[in-house]
Amino acid sequence: MKPTANIPTILVVFGATGDLMARKIVPSLFHLYQHNELPTMFMVIGVSRQRLSDQEFRNQVSENLAKHHHGYKLQTDSKFIKLFHYHRGIFESLADYRGLNKKLNEIDGQWRVCSNKLFYLAVPPMYYRTISTHLAKSGLTKPCSPEEGWTRVLVEKPFGKDLKTAEDLDRLLGKLFKEIQIYRIDHYLAKEMLQGIMNFRFSNNLLEPSWNANAIEKIEISLLEKIGVEQRGAFYDGIGALKDVGQNHLLQMLALITMDHPLNIDPVAIRNNRAEILRKLVPLAREAMAANTFRAQYQGYQGIKGVAADSQTETYFRVKAHLDSPRWQGVPIILEGGKRIKNVRKEIVVTFKHPTPCLCPAGQHFRNRVIFTLEPTETIKIQFWAKKPGFESKIEEREFNFFLYEKQLKVQYVEEYSKLLLDAFAGDQTLFISTEEVQAMWRFIDPIIGAWDANLVALKHYQPDTNQAVDEASFIDGEAKSKPEELGIIGLGKMGGNIALQLLAKGYRVVGFNRSPEPTAVLAKEGMIVAKSLDEIVGELSKPRVVWLMVPAGKQIDNLIYQLASKLNRGDIIIDGGNSYYGDSAIRAKALAKKGINFVDIGVSGGPNGARYGASLMVGGSAKVFEKILPILNDVSVPGGLAFFEGAGAGHFVKMVHNGIEYGMMQAIAEGFAILKKTLYKLDLTKVARVYNHGSVIESRLVGWLADALTLHGNNFNGVTGVVAHTGEGLWTEETAKKLGVKAKVIEEALKFRKQSAKNPSYTGKILSALREQFGGHSVK
């Protein structure tokens, strides 16, 4: 028996004589009828202000069905038509709702059961408040009991015009109904391909481990169509392309492609994860709008009936978005929608990074792609590269294709709305939008609409039925125009030199300066421009300049910063990536601000290897300056390893405490392994470290590095000093804790041990020295 068969249900449609009923609801109900998916006891009651008898309403339904569903035949499908009944009602009249309530009770009496009621608001949003309020006041939405006779309300998009109106609507619905009664429809979620994305990702383990910023370069989501506004001018001109498909369809597609694995298939878990990823969308700053958004209108649009003669409504847009998520850090997301475009494209394209190193012919770059296509055929395509048959070492692009459907005639919207209605009967909210999702989507869209209304991004025009707008918007796909493609680095030791190498490999123009010439000679061979003085490094950089300092903390950096500042201009940026004291950084920022020079303090963690291949960056300063250098920071950091903290010195403060914690963690590990070494059991400490570092509570990079150190030096750490060096961060953390009245006994004792190791070297000290060698390249002699 089908799950909905034993659910006596009455579907009440407000706006029953409207276009939505004719084009979507009735054909979808007929589709369910053809597939025997409707409940055994089922009835549709249409509500509208027209004076119609049941038979007149049925005639209207039949005519619409003949027009919008080719499989309908009146003679053979009369049983379906008899499911429809009519109730005249004025939306503003509470008495008419009470009359409807009486009618529903009479049906329940005839059926001898308390039926379930589904109220579909197939009306313009201006009527939502009136209908919802009267539904609640009349008692129509009150269930018979907790066990039977549920009531649900179906609401169509748009859910508000902006965040404020969406929140107002949600407050109203939340006051009148419970969330489990509210079903918000975005029919795109019911498309088979979008339903299939979750299964493609989470029912397989083929690609999901690589579904993150480590492997993925960018995500593109497009809804481009040939059709125009046609007869919808008055409606469309008050909305525009971004609100019509961007705020809802595209962002829902984005949620499905980027959300985390839900705990289970429960609707609550799935909707929570969709909402969670949408909340991580980073709203665009006003100064970033021109570089990250594009809008255009097709020529002739203003001549459409209902469209204002001076309309500024966009019919095409492209927006670059980012997610504030460790999983997706630095991955650009391109959202694009438009009408009267020559090349139809309704798809999601996930582009993977070029593999490094790559078994590719010299100079060639190849990228894998996964493409989810919605139209004209619903397919999943995986593009990959394979050797071309023959004697030569050449590779060619190949494809895996999976067709969700064989090509067939489909009635637009029918399958989607059939699925939504069936789920609403069954009480499954998975494919319906939650209030949290609605709010998160508007929080991202509102600033863009505001900037466009203020004309911060000029409205362009394009020839209809061409790709002109798509081509003109292509600049959005690259990094923001404000991205500095060059920077200077002063201090080219283990950390600075490796940051230079990483950026050179990513195409940056790097100008480097170091007091001793040896590192510069090596880096020059990799393409770095060598400056022999501060004057040269400043002269080689274009304005606004970005200069990254990687020199030891202390007075020498003060001297360096003030010498450099005397040669820079207003708007230039100095980055201090060393382990400076946070209080000094705050003072330096204040002094430089008087000269109009921006200062950013960054705590860099991960050692030389991190600097070369992706470090953890803790950034302090102002948000505005952070945004300007964000492309650089994304290129230097490991995915998920970048965080901004407002305030001069905040980055160095976070890094200082990080190093204090590091002292304590290293001390605990070293002491634990000293105990393991002392025992009567003949333990292989390398094996101990390896097993600790696979699934245990103390699994960490430090334990992994210890395993590597034991492999290198053996259990006894012969040749490794038991005297442990220490820098200022541990002491600064201890002193700061005392100032703040915070007890930090573990950190204090770890620092004390290091100081005393000069007089009392030990096996514990050897472990600490070996660890410092592994992550920082420090000498063990």
Side-chain angles (χ1 to χ4, degrees):
M1 182 178 289
K2 297 182 186 301
T4 54
N6 254 350
I7 307 176
T9 303
I10 301 174
L11 173 63
V12 180
V13 182
F14 290 88
T17 55
D19 188 62
L20 181 60
M21 179 72 163
R23 293 170 56 87
K24 299 178 182 178
I25 299 173
V26 169
S28 300
L29 288 170
F30 182 66
H31 186 71
L32 292 175
Y33 170 76
Q34 285 181 308
H35 290 80
N36 297 315
E37 292 286 358
L38 290 176
T40 305
M41 301 176 73
F42 181 72
M43 183 182 294
V44 180
I45 297 180
V47 180
S48 185
R49 64 180 63 235
Q50 293 182 27
R51 294 185 181 276
L52 298 173
S53 66
D54 281 356
Q55 190 56 50
E56 288 173 325
F57 180 54
R58 289 168 184 167
N59 292 342
Q60 193 177 98
V61 169
S62 182
E63 290 170 9
N64 286 327
L65 197 51
K67 182 178 179 181
H68 297 295
H69 200 299
H70 301 300
Y72 169 71
K73 294 180 178 60
L74 176 60
Q75 296 80 6
T76 56
D77 297 316
S78 59
K79 183 180 175 182
F80 172 74
I81 294 299
K82 289 178 182 178
L83 296 174
F84 290 80
H85 299 258
Y86 189 76
H87 178 81
R88 182 177 183 268
I90 306 300
F91 298 156
E92 296 81 6
S93 171
L94 182 58
D96 288 349
Y97 291 82
R98 290 180 175 140
L100 176 61
N101 199 0
K102 181 180 177 182
K103 186 168 187 172
L104 295 177
N105 288 332
E106 288 173 356
I107 297 168
D108 283 353
Q110 294 168 14
W111 285 359
R112 296 184 178 181
V113 67
C114 180
S115 63
N116 302 312
K117 283 89 176 176
L118 186 62
F119 299 97
Y120 198 134
L121 276 58
V123 296
M126 70 178 87
Y127 293 113
Y128 287 175
R129 176 177 292 275
T130 300
I131 296 174
S132 299
T133 302
H134 287 338
L135 278 173
K137 280 185 178 179
S138 64
L140 277 165
T141 53
K142 186 177 180 181
C144 299
S145 72
E147 290 76 31
E148 64 172 345
W150 51 250
T151 60
R152 294 170 187 149
V153 179
L154 273 167
V155 184
E156 281 274 351
K157 77 170 187 75
F159 312 113
K161 298 183 295 183
D162 50 30
L163 179 58
K164 183 182 182 304
T165 55
E167 288 177 335
D168 288 345
L169 176 60
D170 269 334
R171 269 193 295 270
L172 172 68
L173 294 175
K175 183 179 178 181
L176 301 174
F177 318 114
K178 296 178 180 178
E179 180 65 20
I180 58 171
Q181 292 179 285
I182 306 169
Y183 286 65
R184 301 173 188 82
I185 294 178
D186 180 346
H187 72 273
Y188 251 71
L189 273 177
K191 284 186 174 292
E192 284 286 0
M193 178 54 70
L194 297 196
Q195 294 180 65
I197 287 175
M198 282 205 305
N199 293 109
F200 176 84
R201 290 185 56 196
F202 304 132
S203 300
N204 303 293
N205 202 32
L206 183 65
L207 292 175
E208 190 61 21
S210 301
W211 210 257
N212 52 53
N214 288 316
I216 290 175
E217 181 175 279
K218 67 177 177 178
I219 297 170
E220 300 163 276
I221 307 177
S222 302
L223 289 179
L224 303 177
E225 50 191 359
K226 286 185 177 180
I227 64 171
V229 174
E230 281 85 37
Q231 308 304 315
R232 301 169 65 223
F235 165 78
Y236 193 89
D237 203 42
I239 296 177
L242 185 60
K243 289 184 182 180
D244 188 41
V245 301
Q247 181 271 334
N248 36 68
H249 302 337
L250 287 173
L251 292 186
Q252 282 296 314
M253 293 162 75
L254 167 63
L256 291 171
I257 211 74
T258 58
M259 65 186 273
D260 287 339
H261 196 307
L263 294 174
N264 49 50
I265 60 171
D266 182 77
V268 174
I270 293 170
R271 297 199 325 162
N272 283 349
N273 277 25
R274 290 202 311 250
E276 180 62 28
I277 197 66
L278 288 170
R279 279 194 289 265
K280 292 179 179 177
L281 276 166
V282 181
L284 290 171
R286 288 175 74 83
E287 58 268 21
M289 288 293 173
N292 292 282
T293 72
F294 178 91
R295 61 180 179 134
Q297 182 188 97
Y298 66 78
Q299 293 175 0
Y301 169 78
Q302 293 176 357
I304 295 172
K305 183 180 178 181
V307 174
D310 58 350
S311 172
Q312 293 293 294
T313 298
E314 80 287 349
T315 57
Y316 170 86
F317 69 89
R318 188 179 294 182
V319 171
K320 180 193 285 186
H322 285 90
L323 292 165
D324 183 14
S325 158
R327 179 172 190 162
W328 298 108
Q329 180 192 306
V331 177
I333 299 161
I334 308 300
L335 305 169
E336 176 185 48
K339 293 187 174 295
R340 296 294 297 272
I341 304 297
K342 180 181 179 181
N343 294 341
V344 173
R345 190 161 69 242
K346 296 187 177 184
E347 63 186 15
I348 302 171
V349 181
V350 179
T351 302
F352 286 76
K353 293 178 179 176
H354 172 72
T356 305
C358 176
L359 296 179
C360 311
Q364 290 185 279
H365 293 271
F366 302 98
R367 287 166 172 78
N368 303 116
R369 289 180 175 85
V370 178
I371 303 172
F372 303 87
T373 302
L374 281 72
E375 290 184 22
T377 56
E378 294 185 279
T379 60
I380 299 175
K381 182 189 299 181
I382 300 176
Q383 295 178 342
F384 66 102
W385 298 86
K387 184 185 179 300
K388 190 174 183 178
F391 295 109
E392 294 183 272
S393 180
K394 291 185 177 181
I395 62 176
E396 61 182 355
E397 189 177 50
R398 301 283 183 89
E399 291 181 350
F400 285 126
N401 274 299
F402 168 69
F403 290 85
L404 199 61
Y405 281 112
E406 292 299 327
K407 195 167 185 179
Q408 56 180 277
L409 183 65
K410 293 170 62 181
V411 182
Q412 191 178 29
Y413 305 123
V414 165
E415 290 191 356
E416 293 90 337
Y417 272 84
S418 296
K419 173 63 174 170
L420 292 170
L421 287 167
L422 193 64
D423 284 357
F425 297 158
D428 185 346
Q429 290 184 304
T430 303
L431 302 181
F432 297 88
I433 302 176
S434 67
T435 181
E436 291 81 10
E437 291 172 87
V438 172
Q439 291 174 2
M441 292 188 290
W442 278 120
R443 284 192 193 100
F444 177 72
I445 294 295
D446 268 4
I448 300 173
I449 298 296
W452 289 358
D453 288 345
N455 206 32
L456 296 182
V457 178
L459 179 72
K460 305 291 185 179
H461 291 84
Y462 62 98
Q463 285 287 340
D465 309 317
T466 70
N467 296 319
Q468 180 186 350
V470 177
D471 294 339
E472 285 188 26
S474 61
F475 73 88
I476 297 290
D477 296 8
E479 289 295 345
K481 288 182 178 178
S482 60
K483 171 183 175 178
E485 300 207 354
E486 63 173 23
L487 80 161
I489 299 180
I490 298 176
L492 298 168
K494 288 175 290 189
M495 297 296 289
N498 277 328
I499 288 174
L501 283 172
Q502 185 180 179
L503 292 177
L504 286 166
K506 292 176 178 176
Y508 279 75
R509 179 176 180 268
V510 179
V511 183
F513 170 74
N514 199 69
R515 284 184 303 175
S516 57
E518 292 82 7
T520 56
V522 174
L523 290 166
K525 293 178 182 178
E526 301 297 327
M528 188 189 77
I529 298 167
V530 177
K532 296 180 180 178
S533 67
L534 295 184
D535 285 318
E536 279 193 25
I537 198 169
V538 171
E540 281 285 349
L541 297 171
S542 56
K543 300 175 186 178
R545 305 176 185 90
V546 180
V547 183
W548 189 311
L549 312 182
M550 287 300 288
V551 298
K555 285 190 176 180
Q556 77 168 46
I557 195 169
D558 266 327
N559 294 333
L560 175 60
I561 286 173
Y562 295 130
Q563 285 180 48
L564 184 61
S566 67
K567 305 173 189 302
L568 295 175
N569 299 105
R570 297 182 70 85
D572 290 346
I573 300 169
I574 295 176
I575 299 171
D576 179 6
N579 285 325
S580 294
Y581 179 57
Y582 74 94
D584 293 340
S585 296
I587 293 169
R588 291 164 187 153
K590 189 175 181 180
L592 290 170
K594 293 178 180 177
K595 299 183 177 184
I597 297 170
N598 301 299
F599 180 80
V600 180
D601 55 283
I602 300 181
V604 182
S605 182
N609 193 63
R612 179 65 182 86
Y613 298 106
S616 174
L617 304 183
M618 305 147 215
V619 186
S622 80
K624 190 173 181 179
V625 179
F626 170 73
E627 289 293 332
K628 290 179 180 178
I629 61 170
L630 184 56
I632 293 178
L633 303 183
N634 278 329
D635 283 337
V636 172
S637 62
V638 67
L642 172 63
F644 170 72
F645 307 95
E646 184 72 44
H652 281 154
F653 181 84
V654 173
K655 178 59 164 50
M656 176 193 75
V657 176
H658 160 283
N659 285 12
I661 294 169
E662 175 191 299
Y663 273 44
M665 290 175 67
M666 288 173 62
Q667 188 69 26
I669 291 168
E671 290 174 3
F673 274 77
I675 297 169
L676 290 166
K677 177 73 167 57
K678 200 75 172 177
T679 183
L680 295 175
Y681 296 110
K682 294 182 179 180
L683 300 175
D684 183 334
L685 297 188
T686 304
K687 287 171 67 177
V688 174
R690 297 287 183 211
V691 75
Y692 279 177
N693 212 41
H694 285 82
S696 83
V697 173
I698 63 169
E699 179 181 0
S700 65
R701 296 184 77 187
L702 285 170
V703 174
W705 279 321
L706 177 56
D708 294 341
L710 284 161
T711 301
L712 179 65
H713 297 294
N715 272 17
N716 294 321
F717 288 104
N718 294 323
V720 176
T721 179
V723 178
V724 191
H726 56 93
T727 51
E729 296 95 321
L731 178 61
W732 295 339
T733 307
E734 179 188 21
E735 291 174 345
T736 301
K738 288 178 180 177
K739 288 179 184 177
L740 297 173
V742 176
K743 291 184 178 180
K745 289 294 182 183
V746 172
I747 296 172
E748 288 177 18
E749 289 300 320
L751 178 61
K752 183 178 178 182
F753 177 89
R754 294 194 183 195
K755 290 177 178 178
Q756 293 177 344
S757 70
K759 295 181 179 179
N760 300 298
S762 64
Y763 182 78
T764 301
K766 286 174 176 281
I767 295 176
L768 291 170
S769 294
L771 280 170
R772 296 183 79 249
E773 175 195 37
Q774 286 297 312
F775 68 74
H778 303 289
S779 174
V780 295
K781 301 297 183 183

